[in-house]
């Protein structure tokens, strides 16, 4: 009888901490999505977005969004542009913008970037990669895009 009571007490005390622990930290499953080219973009252009929540020692938990894009045309092929940027957003709520940095290897440029300061309660639902002019800070046409379906 004492063993049964002890087991019940252990289950009742550990069950709430398991369920509350998940909601308090805001940790959800990692999400990856393929970014596809818009209709006006030809070739093999593709990208991938990785979204996940992570724990930090200071300043609480955060959501990380990173984008990796390959086989993009030179930005100048879209007009007076010399780079790419990411626009990630939740319609009518919030948006994040960050630049993609070029990494050239074997005459192929890979464009990568990340935003690590997203509050854990938010995850973008739309991601776009746009041509960008670094001198004028002007965005150009959308090259890749995706509506995020994973939660």
């Amino acid at each position: 009888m004492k063993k049964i009571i002890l087991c019940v007490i252990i289950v009742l005390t550990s069950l709430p901490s398991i369920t509350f622990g998940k909601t308090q930290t805001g940790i959800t499953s990692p999400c990856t999505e393929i970014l596809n080219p818009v209709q006006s973009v030809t070739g093999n252009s593709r990208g991938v977005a990785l979204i996940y929540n992570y724990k930090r020692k200071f300043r609480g938990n955060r959501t990380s969004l990173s984008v990796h894009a390959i086989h993009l045309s030179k930005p100048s092929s879209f007009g007076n542009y010399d780079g790419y940027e990411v626009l990630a957003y939740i319609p009518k709520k919030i948006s994040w913008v960050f630049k993609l940095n070029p990494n050239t290897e074997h005459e192929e440029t890979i464009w990568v970037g990340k935003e690590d300061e997203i509050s854990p309660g938010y995850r973008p639902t739309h991601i776009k990669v746009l041509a960008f002019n670094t001198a004028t800070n002007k965005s150009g046409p959308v090259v890749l895009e995706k509506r995020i379906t994973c939660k």
Side-chain angles (χ1 to χ4, degrees), residues 74-95:
K74 292 186 183 219
S76 59
S77 68
F78 299 103
N80 189 21
Y81 304 103
D82 58 354
Y84 290 101
E85 72 175 356
V86 172
L87 169 62
Y89 61 98
I90 302 170
K92 300 181 182 180
K93 283 192 177 184
I94 192 167
S95 63

Side-chain angles (χ1 to χ4, degrees), residues 2 4 9 31 35-36 50 62 77 86-87 97 104 106 112 119 131 147:
K2 288 181 182 181
I4 293 174
I9 291 172
C31 169
L35 306 176
N36 295 309
L50 170 63
R62 291 286 183 249
S77 68
V86 172
L87 169 62
V97 177
T104 303
H106 305 294
V112 296
S119 297
R147 183 176 179 273

Side-chain angles (χ1 to χ4, degrees), residues 8-140:
V8 169
I9 291 172
I10 290 172
V11 168
L12 290 177
T13 57
S14 64
L15 186 62
S17 64
I18 292 169
T19 57
F20 289 123
K22 185 173 182 180
T23 58
Q24 287 175 346
T25 61
I27 301 298
T28 55
S29 299
C31 169
T32 56
E33 291 276 359
I34 302 297
L35 306 176
N36 295 309
V38 297
Q39 286 184 345
S40 61
V41 175
T42 59
N44 296 319
S45 300
R46 291 288 185 275
V48 64
L50 170 63
I51 307 166
Y52 71 98
N53 291 23
Y54 67 101
K55 294 180 180 183
R56 296 185 343 176
K57 287 185 177 182
F58 304 103
R59 296 180 56 201
N61 299 327
R62 291 286 183 249
T63 297
S64 176
L65 165 62
S66 59
V67 172
H68 170 127
I70 60 173
H71 302 295
L72 297 179
S73 300
K74 292 186 183 219
S76 59
S77 68
F78 299 103
N80 189 21
Y81 304 103
D82 58 354
Y84 290 101
E85 72 175 356
V86 172
L87 169 62
Y89 61 98
I90 302 170
K92 300 181 182 180
K93 283 192 177 184
I94 192 167
S95 63
W96 302 271
V97 177
F98 58 94
K99 291 179 180 63
L100 293 179
N101 299 304
N103 181 7
T104 303
E105 195 173 301
H106 305 294
E107 298 182 23
E108 178 67 36
T109 302
I110 299 169
W111 295 85
V112 296
K114 69 179 177 128
E115 174 60 58
D116 275 344
E117 293 299 323
I118 300 172
S119 297
Y122 292 100
R123 280 192 169 202
T125 58
H126 295 77
I127 297 177
K128 296 181 179 187
V129 173
L130 302 93
F132 185 73
N133 183 311
T134 56
T136 62
N137 281 333
K138 298 283 182 183
S139 298

